[in-house]
């Protein structure tokens, strides 16, 4: 990051940028982990899907258990499968969930959509400590999946 | 809503502009004026953070961003792309002499409102504003006001609360604008810890940061030079501690992109730098000893950029300050940093002084930089600062 540099590009630079944008789109590796996690959530954990627009830096998916409690699901498709620590707390912590819920109801934020706003409002109404947070980690080499109920 | 289709369309528009720029300027060996549209790309290695097209809109005196594509690479911290883009937009707005207002063109994340295409402030920039605690009031009108821009600039530069208060005090007194300080830091003339040392540790930071004193005004200029010299010596230590050395094939190589995890603080009362570490490190420039720094212990360093004669003259005062530093930061590793000029002191005087320093429980650190070198760098920075917008 310290080496991030800006310059006026030459036409060749832009054609390379376009090639990679066309090839990979906005997400690739994450999609594999997320579709796998969705399968586990529905078929193994018996959760019901909620209307939710997954964005780039928010929650991966949202479900509801048989008692009606929200279950936020994070999928990891990497060797370590660690939950990241951010400026607003560790992923899955009460502080982090509250911050994301606040972003989801803010119409200016990239995490906002009408469906996400409803979920964000519910998280803030019941309290972020009262929703579940589950991590589904799929190891990219062994392809084994592990489910952790973080809260 | 940002779709892949939108991204590809905008990249096409960017490519068209780059091609036009190439034929109109690069091939003719010409440079564009500020009020002409210029395309920029911001990357780290092969990772793109942002693509932008900007110009100074002279009639409204604002910065106009005709294209603004931002990525949020997962390998980097949250909002890194927006941070890079905003850092550039704000610095460009300052450089062009605008009011600091930023307006986004109608093609930036467009939406239809009453049959008309309207832009907005990019969503990732809004996320960054939320992160920095800045409330943007004109998101769907597609512009950032000068007041909001100033708040975001201060947040992005990353000044501590104490430094921010002092900057605002200087600003209210009409001595220094916060935008100028942020521009100097974001432009790399002063690093953030160096600027904080100047703001908190010198009597007239506004003179140094605005390069106000002419060399002909000898005393004023020397005063600025001394303040700058101290900040630069502290900066040399910062960089040494930040530098990560990796072992590849049995050889030590310096990493370009990775730095050690360090947090900086500054003690304005004693002119000392306080460091906290996220990992184990070795204390640099200590002769004949290997001192390990660990995450549970902080480091307090008294920075004294003195010539050999000044070291001898100020030795008693330095020892007093050292004992104050040791008692203030009990449990920390304490160091005293002198430039290389220390070695010019007569051997017996030097050894006796070293014994006194070590008896106080302090490590003597001698930087490879000499005062002559530090002064040369200080003069360069004061001269460069003279060319930056003044207001």
């Amino acid at each position: 990051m310290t080496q991030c540099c800006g310059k006026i590009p030459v036409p060749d630079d832009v054609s390379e940028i376009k090639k990679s944008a066309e090839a990979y789109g906005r997400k690739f590796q994450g999609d594999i982990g997320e579709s796998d996690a969705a399968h586990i959530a529905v078929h193994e954990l018996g959760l019901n899907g909620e209307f939710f627009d997954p964005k780039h830096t928010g929650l991966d998916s949202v479900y509801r258990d048989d008692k009606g409690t929200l279950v936020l699901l994070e999928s990891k498709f990497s060797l370590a499968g660690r939950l990241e620590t951010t400026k607003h707390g560790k992923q899955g912590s009460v502080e982090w969930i509250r911050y994301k819920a606040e972003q989801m109801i803010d119409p200016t934020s990239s995490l906002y959509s009408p469906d996400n706003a409803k979920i964000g409002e519910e998280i803030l109404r019941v309290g972020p400590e009262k929703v579940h947070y589950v991590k589904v980690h799929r190891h990219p080499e062994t392809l084994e999946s592990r489910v952790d109920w973080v809260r | 809503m940002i779709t892949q289709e939108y991204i590809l369309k905008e990249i096409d528009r960017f490519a068209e502009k780059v091609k036009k720029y190439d034929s109109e300027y690069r091939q003719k060996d010409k440079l564009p004026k500020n009020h002409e549209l210029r395309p920029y790309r911001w990357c780290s290695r092969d990772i793109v953070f942002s693509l932008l097209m900007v110009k100074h809109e002279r009639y409204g005196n604002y910065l106009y961003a005709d294209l603004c594509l931002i990525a949020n690479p997962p390998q980097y911290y949250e909002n890194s792309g927006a941070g890079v883009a905003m850092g550039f937009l704000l610095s460009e707005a300052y450089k062009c002499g605008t009011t600091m207002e930023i307006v986004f063109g109608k093609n930036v994340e467009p939406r239809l409102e009453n049959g008309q295409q309207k832009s907005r402030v990019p969503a990732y920039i809004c996320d960054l504003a939320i992160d920095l605690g800045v409330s943007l009031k004109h998101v769907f009108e597609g512009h950032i006001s000068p007041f909001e821009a100033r708040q975001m600039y201060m947040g992005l530069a990353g000044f501590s609360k104490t430094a921010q208060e002092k900057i605002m005090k200087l600003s209210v007194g009409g001595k220094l604008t916060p935008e100028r300080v942020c521009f100097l830091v974001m432009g790399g003339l002063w690093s953030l810890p160096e600027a904080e040392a100047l703001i908190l540790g010198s009597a007239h930071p506004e003179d140094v940061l605005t390069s106000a004193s002419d060399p002909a005004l000898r005393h004023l200029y020397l005063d600025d030079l001394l303040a700058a010299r101290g900040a630069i010596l502290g900066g040399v230590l910062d960089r040494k501690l930040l530098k990560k050395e990796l072992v590849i094939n049995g050889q030590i190589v310096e990493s370009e992109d990775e730095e050690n995890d360090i947090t900086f603080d500054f003690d304005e009362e004693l002119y000392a730098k306080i460091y906290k570490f996220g990992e184990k490190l070795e204390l640099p420039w200590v002769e004949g000893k290997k001192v390990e720094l660990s995450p549970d212990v902080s480091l307090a360093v008294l920075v004294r950029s003195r010539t050999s004669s000044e070291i001898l003259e100020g030795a008693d005062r330095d020892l007093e300050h050292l004992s104050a530093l040791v008692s203030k930061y009990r449990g920390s590793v304490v160091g005293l940093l002198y430039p290389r000029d220390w070695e010019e002191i007569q051997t017996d005087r030097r050894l006796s002084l070293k014994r006194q320093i070590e008896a106080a429980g302090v490590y003597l650190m001698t930087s490879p930089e000499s005062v002559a070198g530090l002064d040369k760098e200080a003069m360069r920075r004061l001269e460069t600062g003279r060319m930056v917008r003044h207001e």
Side-chain angles (χ1 to χ4, degrees):
Chain A
M1 193 62 189
T2 50
Q3 296 297 316
C4 186
C5 73
K7 70 167 200 170
I8 296 180
V10 292
D12 284 354
D13 288 347
V14 188
S15 48
E16 285 304 314
I17 292 170
K18 194 173 178 203
K19 261 190 235 164
S20 59
E22 280 169 339
Y24 296 109
R26 300 182 61 222
K27 271 185 169 187
F28 177 60
Q29 185 166 289
D31 287 345
I32 300 171
E34 276 157 36
S35 68
D36 184 53
H39 182 85
I40 291 174
V42 174
H43 297 285
E44 292 179 23
L45 304 177
L47 302 172
N48 299 310
E50 273 291 307
F51 286 108
F52 174 73
D53 293 327
K55 304 282 180 172
H56 205 62
T57 56
L59 310 168
D60 285 343
S61 46
V62 178
Y63 296 87
R64 211 176 275 279
D65 66 12
D66 49 5
K67 288 179 193 151
T69 310
L70 281 177
V71 180
L72 315 178
L73 198 128
E74 175 68 29
S75 54
K76 294 281 177 197
F77 186 64
S78 60
L79 287 174
R82 263 195 306 269
L83 292 172
E84 304 293 331
T85 302
T86 72
K87 209 171 130 186
H88 303 280
K90 197 177 174 183
Q91 277 185 305
S93 67
V94 172
E95 189 194 0
W96 185 84
I97 294 173
R98 179 177 291 117
Y99 178 66
K100 290 294 165 192
E102 281 167 355
Q103 278 191 300
M104 282 155 72
I105 61 169
D106 185 334
T108 67
S109 164
S110 69
L111 301 191
Y112 175 83
S113 77
D115 287 334
N116 291 3
K118 279 182 202 157
I119 288 167
E121 273 165 20
E122 186 176 338
I123 293 172
L124 294 176
R125 193 177 62 244
V126 300
E129 65 284 353
K130 299 231 169 85
V131 299
H132 295 305
Y133 188 85
V134 181
K135 180 181 85 172
V136 178
H137 173 216
R138 190 177 197 203
H139 197 285
E141 285 167 5
T142 62
L143 296 181
E144 274 174 27
S145 296
R146 204 184 129 165
V147 179
D148 281 331
W149 285 79
V150 178
R151 39 182 313 105
Chain B
M1 177 78 179
I2 305 165
T3 57
Q4 190 172 358
E5 189 194 352
Y6 164 75
I7 293 170
L8 294 176
K9 208 172 116 196
E10 287 294 88
I11 293 177
D12 281 342
R13 211 156 62 80
F14 187 74
E16 211 173 283
K17 180 67 207 167
V18 170
K19 219 165 145 191
K20 203 168 162 207
Y21 179 91
D22 211 51
S23 61
E24 282 179 8
Y25 299 102
R26 192 173 277 124
Q27 285 172 16
K28 290 180 185 165
D29 212 11
K30 270 170 64 181
L31 286 172
K33 299 264 191 311
N34 281 342
H35 60 266
E36 289 163 334
L37 203 61
R38 292 152 282 143
Y40 291 93
R41 66 112 178 97
W42 284 87
C43 300
S44 176
R45 297 184 184 177
D46 60 349
I47 295 173
V48 182
F49 285 83
S50 184
L51 301 179
L52 296 144
M53 279 176 7
V54 295
K55 69 170 181 177
H56 175 202
E57 187 55 63
R58 286 181 290 179
Y59 301 107
N61 198 18
Y62 54 79
L63 189 80
Y64 175 77
D66 187 49
L67 180 144
C68 182
L69 277 180
I70 296 171
N72 216 337
Q75 306 89 319
Y76 292 87
Y77 59 82
E78 219 174 310
N79 299 323
S80 49
V84 167
M86 249 343 248
F88 168 71
L89 289 173
L90 290 162
S91 298
E92 191 65 18
Y94 183 76
K95 189 202 87 181
C96 292
T98 69
T99 58
M100 295 301 287
E101 183 179 3
I102 298 168
V103 175
F104 293 90
K106 65 176 170 36
N107 292 310
V108 176
E109 298 185 18
R111 67 185 197 287
L112 281 175
E113 202 178 285
N114 301 328
Q116 270 193 318
Q117 183 169 311
K118 290 200 168 167
S119 73
R120 58 162 289 171
V121 175
Y124 281 149
I125 290 181
C126 295
D127 287 350
L128 177 72
I130 296 169
D131 197 19
L132 296 172
V134 178
S135 146
L136 299 180
K137 301 229 161 48
H138 313 282
V139 171
F140 296 105
E141 290 146 46
H143 76 108
I144 297 175
S145 73
F147 174 72
E148 293 161 354
R150 170 186 281 196
Q151 284 181 301
M152 284 194 86
Y153 214 7
M154 288 282 270
L156 274 174
F159 285 105
S160 66
K161 235 187 175 93
T162 348
Q164 281 194 26
E165 278 165 16
K166 184 120 186 233
I167 293 169
M168 291 320 289
K169 221 166 156 181
L170 290 167
S171 167
V172 171
K175 292 176 176 170
L176 183 69
T177 60
E179 292 87 342
R180 184 183 164 94
V181 189
C182 295
F183 184 83
L184 295 178
V185 171
M186 301 285 275
L189 187 62
W190 298 97
S191 71
L192 180 65
E194 285 170 353
E196 289 226 350
L198 280 174
I199 291 159
L200 300 172
S202 64
H204 302 286
E206 68 279 10
D207 286 350
V208 185
L209 292 167
T210 56
S211 304
S213 309
D214 193 89
L217 306 166
R218 192 173 159 70
H219 287 102
L220 291 175
Y221 186 72
L222 279 178
D223 190 47
D224 291 354
L225 207 60
L226 280 176
R229 184 206 284 174
I232 294 168
L233 180 62
V236 174
L237 176 61
D238 297 340
R239 282 190 291 281
K240 177 71 184 167
L241 288 167
L242 278 170
K243 204 173 276 176
K244 196 165 213 147
E245 287 178 343
L246 303 170
V247 181
I248 296 176
N249 299 332
Q251 284 198 319
I252 295 176
V253 290
E254 280 166 8
S255 168
E256 271 187 358
D257 216 18
E258 280 178 59
E259 290 182 329
N260 288 318
D261 178 15
I262 301 176
T263 48
F264 302 89
D265 206 351
F266 185 74
D267 187 315
E268 51 187 296
E269 194 191 335
L270 295 165
Y271 203 93
K273 303 204 80 154
I274 318 298
Y275 302 92
K276 284 197 179 86
F277 306 96
E279 54 203 302
K280 276 188 181 174
L281 291 178
E282 199 178 308
L283 184 65
W285 306 328
V286 180
E287 200 190 331
K289 269 182 203 148
K290 201 174 170 181
V291 185
E292 201 168 76
L293 302 163
S294 57
D296 49 332
V297 178
S298 57
L299 168 70
V301 181
L302 203 68
V303 180
R304 294 295 180 262
S305 55
R306 302 192 198 284
T307 60
S308 52
S309 57
E310 285 166 348
I311 292 173
L312 291 174
E313 207 181 291
D316 291 341
R317 218 172 19 187
D318 285 351
L319 286 168
E320 260 174 50
H321 286 163
L322 274 179
S323 72
L325 193 69
V326 169
S327 52
K328 195 169 177 182
Y329 295 94
R330 220 167 272 284
S332 303
V333 174
V334 179
L336 168 62
L337 176 64
Y338 281 139
R340 203 177 65 206
D341 300 57
W342 160 264
E343 287 160 13
E344 289 168 14
I345 300 172
Q346 223 181 347
T347 314
D348 50 345
R349 292 292 305 276
R350 199 171 69 218
L351 289 175
S352 110
L353 198 52
K354 194 180 175 191
R355 269 194 296 273
Q356 282 177 280
I357 293 164
E358 286 175 348
V362 174
Y363 293 103
L364 176 71
M365 301 157 71
T366 45
S367 149
E369 299 290 327
S370 66
V371 164
L374 293 170
D375 279 351
K376 198 175 160 196
E377 177 61 13
M379 282 180 224
R380 185 193 70 81
R381 294 196 195 189
L382 290 174
E383 274 315 300
T384 310
R386 220 179 287 280
M387 290 183 275
V388 174
R389 172 182 170 183
H390 276 70
E391 60 174 302

